[in-house]
Amino acid sequence: MASSIIAPKNPESPGVPHLDDYAAIVGQPEIHDLRELASRVGRRRIKMINSTAVGGGVAELLSRVVPLIEEMGVPIRWEVLKGGENFFAVTKGFHNALHGAPFESRPEWFELFLRVTAENRKLIAADDDFIVIHDPQPVALVETRKGLTNKWIWRCHIDLSRPNTEVWNFLRPFIEKYDATLFSSPSFTQGLGIPQYLFFPTIDPLADKNRELEPDFIQGVLERFGIDPKRPILTQISRFDRLKDPVGVIQAYRRVKKYFDCQLVLAGGGATDDPEGEIVRLEAQEAAGTDPDLHILDLPPWSHLEINALQRASTIIIQKSLREGFGLTVAEALWKKKPVVASAVGGIPSQVIHKVTGMLVHSVEGTAYQIRFLLSNPDFSLKLGENGHEHIKGNFLVTHNIKRYLLLFLILQRT
């Protein structure tokens, strides 16, 4: 078993993408539409607020969306909630509870949440025309809007299909003070008295995590981690989080290993607002034992090229989440034309259409079965990858995300 942090010599970056760079992928008419929508939004100011600047899908999305909207002449800023280790331990508990995990409440947790929020209200100006709050951590900042006529939007990136009642009832009064909510799947919507919109996360095809790579660089990454390119490579890219079920992935791999001489790569890292990551990584290492074909890679947040290389080198990509807001790693894999075996949870079925763009599963046994099927049927695997690429191209690229935001701002400014 290998566990590493790497700092390789990376290929030269093509630079920060500009909007016109996407024309070759989505077409010039789409770029024209975006510029037209941006001109209608005009100089109305936008602010995005989340809980971490690096690590996790939300930070990745904002790092691409914000510069592109700004390039079109719309004033936009991105600010990050400030909180200490105890605060993020509480919000991680809330996060797990909203996904349906067991939750033992303590009054001081709710008090800490409100106290840190109050401190941030003094630090973060909230007089922009549109305020977009991402996920539960900063949700109570909406209290700042008293007396303001600007529009507040709560963007929920997590699976709310079966939230813990106590945590949801605590957060709900804040959410109902917003002008709109955005969810990644129809199953996440709640009985709220405000508009709810379906809003898919997206990937950036020109980002280091998704752009084309030279074969020599991919080969070099495999060599550094001791991964054999001549044997099947099964890979799951995820934060070390119990909801991503890394131990379950290991169990599925061991079932497949009885029939195929394959390797497993579990590659991930942590985020500043997730204090459980190191514990879960150690749990995965214990489950892995001394298997030399099982590679647990603890990657820093800036390892986008390495993640890209691992996905491109893989035979099959796995995403065995127990609960999942959307699962951008699935979109990344499909964009790279890789066959995907993923859990039928959260927003994943929006991306993986069973037996068309990938294979959906419900258990360790099902995961192992579908991996074995794909390894036995390479032509079918190739077709899944081709279909998956077209599905992502048509629905889940960053330009689609920007268009939805601009349309939403135009709708809200008329209400």
Side-chain angles (χ1 to χ4, degrees):
M1 179 188 70
S3 177
S4 308
I5 296 178
I6 57 175
K9 181 180 180 181
N10 292 331
E12 184 177 351
S13 173
V16 178
H18 295 284
L19 192 62
D20 286 336
D21 296 331
Y22 296 87
I25 299 172
V26 301
Q28 191 60 52
E30 182 74 3
I31 304 303
H32 174 79
D33 288 350
L34 290 175
R35 294 192 186 279
E36 175 62 25
L37 289 170
S39 70
R40 296 184 186 184
V41 173
R43 300 300 296 173
R44 294 176 180 88
R45 294 173 298 132
I46 300 162
K47 180 168 289 183
M48 301 278 182
I49 303 173
N50 77 317
S51 62
T52 177
V54 294
V58 178
E60 283 188 33
L61 278 169
L62 293 180
S63 71
R64 314 305 289 192
V65 167
V66 170
L68 289 171
I69 291 179
E70 185 176 39
E71 181 187 329
M72 291 187 288
V74 179
I76 183 169
R77 293 188 63 192
W78 171 18
E79 295 202 34
V80 176
L81 192 75
K82 295 177 175 60
E85 184 177 341
N86 290 338
F87 172 75
F88 287 124
V90 169
T91 58
K92 179 63 176 180
F94 286 3
H95 173 91
N96 291 340
L98 291 171
H99 277 99
F103 180 75
E104 296 182 9
S105 67
R106 297 180 184 178
E108 59 267 27
W109 290 352
F110 299 101
E111 294 169 2
L112 176 62
F113 181 86
L114 295 175
R115 184 169 66 253
V116 172
T117 299
E119 293 169 355
N120 276 272
R121 284 204 297 268
K122 300 174 185 177
L123 302 173
I124 299 176
D127 57 349
D128 302 82
D129 297 288
F130 301 102
I131 306 289
V132 185
I133 301 292
H134 294 264
D135 282 336
Q137 297 94 330
V139 69
L141 288 176
V142 72
E143 294 287 288
T144 310
R145 77 173 304 182
K146 293 175 181 177
L148 298 174
T149 59
N150 56 355
K151 303 298 184 179
W152 286 66
I153 303 152
W154 187 55
R155 173 64 174 105
C156 179
H157 296 268
I158 64 178
D159 183 342
L160 274 185
S161 55
R162 290 175 289 171
N164 173 275
T165 302
E166 184 177 10
V167 175
W168 175 246
N169 287 342
F170 171 72
L171 297 175
R172 179 172 180 157
F174 300 112
I175 295 166
E176 291 191 322
K177 294 180 180 180
Y178 285 77
D179 297 285
T181 56
L182 312 177
F183 294 102
S184 300
S185 170
S187 64
F188 300 167
T189 57
Q190 300 292 319
L192 300 169
I194 56 176
Q196 302 177 65
Y197 297 92
L198 182 62
F199 212 85
F200 292 129
T202 54
I203 63 168
D204 185 347
L206 299 182
D208 281 347
K209 190 179 280 188
N210 298 304
R211 66 181 173 92
E212 294 288 341
L213 295 175
E214 292 294 331
D216 287 348
F217 179 78
I218 297 173
Q219 178 66 25
V221 170
L222 296 182
E223 289 176 357
R224 279 190 292 274
F225 288 126
I227 301 167
D228 182 1
K230 297 180 181 179
R231 293 184 292 142
I233 302 168
L234 316 177
T235 300
Q236 175 162 299
I237 307 287
S238 284
R239 287 181 294 108
F240 289 108
D241 185 319
R242 292 189 183 95
L243 293 177
K244 311 297 184 182
D245 198 18
V247 173
V249 176
I250 292 171
Q251 292 170 346
Y253 152 77
R254 289 204 165 117
R255 290 172 180 264
V256 176
K257 186 78 169 177
K258 296 176 182 178
Y259 302 91
F260 293 90
D261 183 19
C262 59
Q263 305 158 89
L264 176 65
V265 176
L266 289 175
T272 56
D273 61 347
D274 185 357
E276 291 183 347
E278 179 63 14
I279 297 172
V280 176
R281 185 182 66 82
L282 292 174
E283 291 172 354
Q285 284 188 325
E286 182 177 358
T290 58
D291 186 342
D293 287 331
L294 207 165
H295 306 269
I296 296 180
L297 311 180
D298 187 8
L299 304 179
W302 53 86
S303 302
H304 301 307
L305 287 167
E306 289 71 38
I307 290 172
N308 187 347
L310 290 169
Q311 288 176 321
R312 291 186 182 278
S314 296
T315 312
I316 294 172
I317 300 292
I318 305 166
Q319 190 58 59
K320 199 198 162 304
S321 300
L322 302 176
R323 302 290 291 275
E324 186 65 73
F326 191 72
L328 282 173
T329 53
V330 173
E332 293 164 6
L334 294 176
W335 176 250
K336 299 175 180 72
K337 301 183 180 181
K338 293 297 175 178
V340 172
V341 175
S343 298
V345 297
I348 290 177
S350 299
Q351 305 168 77
V352 177
I353 303 168
H354 188 54
K355 296 185 179 181
V356 177
T357 66
M359 308 299 276
L360 292 173
V361 296
H362 301 270
S363 64
V364 168
E365 295 79 9
T367 302
Y369 175 84
Q370 297 296 359
I371 292 171
R372 287 174 56 197
F373 175 80
L374 293 179
L375 289 174
S376 300
N377 295 274
D379 290 342
F380 182 69
S381 295
L382 182 65
K383 184 61 177 176
L384 288 182
E386 295 285 349
N387 293 345
H389 175 81
E390 291 302 315
H391 186 50
I392 298 303
K393 181 179 178 180
N395 298 280
F396 304 111
L397 299 185
V398 65
T399 48
H400 301 113
N401 194 280
I402 292 171
K403 177 179 276 190
R404 292 188 187 103
Y405 269 123
L406 295 174
L407 286 169
L408 178 65
F409 299 146
L410 291 172
I411 290 169
L412 291 179
Q413 74 185 27
R414 294 171 183 160
T415 61

